[in-house]
Each structure stands twice: as C-alpha cells, then as structure tokens.
Amino acid sequence: MSESELIDIITDYIKIKILEKHKKSSLSKHTKLKNYKINPIIVKYLSKVLDDDFTPTGIAKALYYPRVLNTSINTSFGTMIQRMFVDLDLANGSLIKGMDIEFTDKIDGRRKWCQLKSGPNTINSEDVKPLLKKFYNVTNLARTNSMNLNNSDLILGILYGEEDQISQHYRKIDEQYPVIIGQEFWHRLTGFPDFYNKLVSNLDIMILELNTEDFLEIGYKALAKEVEASDLFDFK
C-alpha cells in the first residue's frame, strides 16, 4: 500500500469512526439529563456565566458543552486510534498485560511492545511509577520466557506532538524505556518518514470540510427541554 493510500484510509477511518461517531453520541447520549452527575451550585453559576441567568438553556449549555467539547472525545480518542491500528493491520493487540499494541518497527526491523498515549502532556507524576512497573514486568516476563527482547523494544508511543513538548513525567520514563512521539512514532509504525506531517495536513483539510450539522445547538436545546421538565431545578 502506498503512503497516500494509507493516509486516505486513516483519514476516512478517523472521520467515520471517531468524529462522526462523536457527533452521533453527542446527540443521543449527551442530550439526556440522566447521563449527568450534577453539582447544583456549580451548574447554576455556569448557567449565569453562559446565559447571564439561571435558565434551562444556561443549565443545558453548562452540562452539554464540556461533555461534548472535551470529556467525551478526549477520553475515547486514544482507545479508538489503538483500535484503528489493529483494524488496519498496522499493529496487533498485545497479548502481554500492560502493553497496548505490538508491531514490527519499520526502522530497525525489531518487534516492539508499545504502551500508547495520546499527547505529550497526558500523564501526571503519579502515573510514572505504574507505567515503569508495567514495563519492568514485561522485561521480567521476557527473561522468564527467553524472549529476544531488550529495553529498546519496550516503548511508550505518543500519537501527536513534538520532542520538545514532552513533559518531565514522560522524560523520567524515557530514562529507562524509549518515549517516541509524533513523526518518529508514525515513521516506525508505517515505514514512511514524513507520514505524520502529511497525515496531519490531510486531516486538517477533511475537518475543514466536515459538516457538523449544528449538533452543538441541536444538542443543548434538546437537553434544555429535559432540564425544564425536571424537578431538579426550580426556575421560578
């Protein structure tokens, strides 16, 4: 498969499986009041900020916007990309506990066991030790089973970003196991040196042409009707 063909396939996958799915989920799941855990004080304050009053519309916006614009899609993004790698035969799901995928590195030709993360700032200080323990456990398993594996075959792959953006938490991991980000990660995965930059450009074009169908407005208005009918709030 050529580089351009693979870029088009991944772009279509992200459009249909991630972005379109997010839109549909926003209009089905996130327009239902029962799917929210509500802090009545904070949500009233946010209603005032968004709608300059305590109203069903303000409450709906305060609930719907953060769920749709941040929480739901950011939570699912990494998982969906991991699934995409397997669906498109770029990698296999790892059979080793603690690793997400396995693939043949197109640069050095060695098998890699990879823990995937979305971006360069997606872990906290308390995540470092558990991640290092996962890698350490795999190393011990490899020794026990006489696997041809060294520390450089256990990697933490970051889907997007640049080397100079990597947080100090990731750098602590990189002292023992390679942290590979953005362009280099996609090069090792696909075999194409500039794949990441070309993919980002293609995704930019697709996103600008995407029909969002005003699902933000449709969604918060549907949720506002549920808020207005609910006995959780008194708007009198």
Side-chain angles (χ1 to χ4, degrees), residues 19-85:
L19 305 185
E20 294 286 355
K21 185 177 180 180
H22 168 254
K23 183 171 66 175
K24 290 177 182 177
S25 176
S26 298
L27 291 173
S28 59
K29 180 179 179 181
H30 303 312
T31 55
K32 308 300 181 186
L33 190 60
K34 66 180 181 180
N35 292 324
Y36 292 88
K37 295 180 180 179
I38 297 171
N39 180 326
I41 296 173
I42 297 300
V43 82
K44 289 175 183 177
Y45 161 72
L46 294 175
S47 173
K48 172 64 176 174
V49 171
L50 289 166
D51 212 37
D52 198 30
D53 200 356
F54 175 39
T55 66
T57 296
I59 295 291
K61 287 180 180 178
L63 295 172
Y64 189 72
Y65 282 178
R67 179 72 62 86
V68 170
L69 296 175
N70 184 26
T71 307
S72 64
I73 193 164
N74 276 305
T75 300
S76 64
F77 179 77
T79 302
M80 292 302 300
I81 295 295
Q82 177 182 332
R83 187 178 302 170
M84 179 188 76
F85 290 153

Side-chain angles (χ1 to χ4, degrees), residues 86-121:
V86 176
D87 288 346
L88 300 183
D89 292 325
L90 293 171
N92 301 116
S94 182
L95 298 177
I96 298 179
K97 185 178 179 181
M99 297 292 105
D100 293 323
I101 59 171
E102 300 174 15
F103 66 95
T104 300
D105 190 318
K106 301 303 188 297
I107 295 178
D108 64 20
R110 292 183 61 85
R111 191 71 172 171
K112 292 294 191 288
W113 286 261
C114 177
Q115 170 78 210
L116 280 174
K117 295 297 177 184
S118 293
N121 291 287

Side-chain angles (χ1 to χ4, degrees), residues 132 135-136 139 151 154-156 173-179:
L132 285 173
F135 286 118
Y136 179 74
T139 302
N151 277 21
L154 298 174
I155 67 172
L156 194 151
I173 295 170
D174 191 51
E175 291 172 2
Q176 299 183 52
Y177 302 95
V179 174

Side-chain angles (χ1 to χ4, degrees), residues 194-213:
D194 200 34
F195 189 87
Y196 171 74
N197 293 322
K198 292 178 181 178
L199 176 62
V200 169
S201 295
N202 215 48
L203 287 170
D204 286 347
I205 293 169
M206 178 272 288
I207 289 169
L208 286 173
E209 295 174 349
L210 195 66
N211 183 5
T212 59
E213 299 174 315

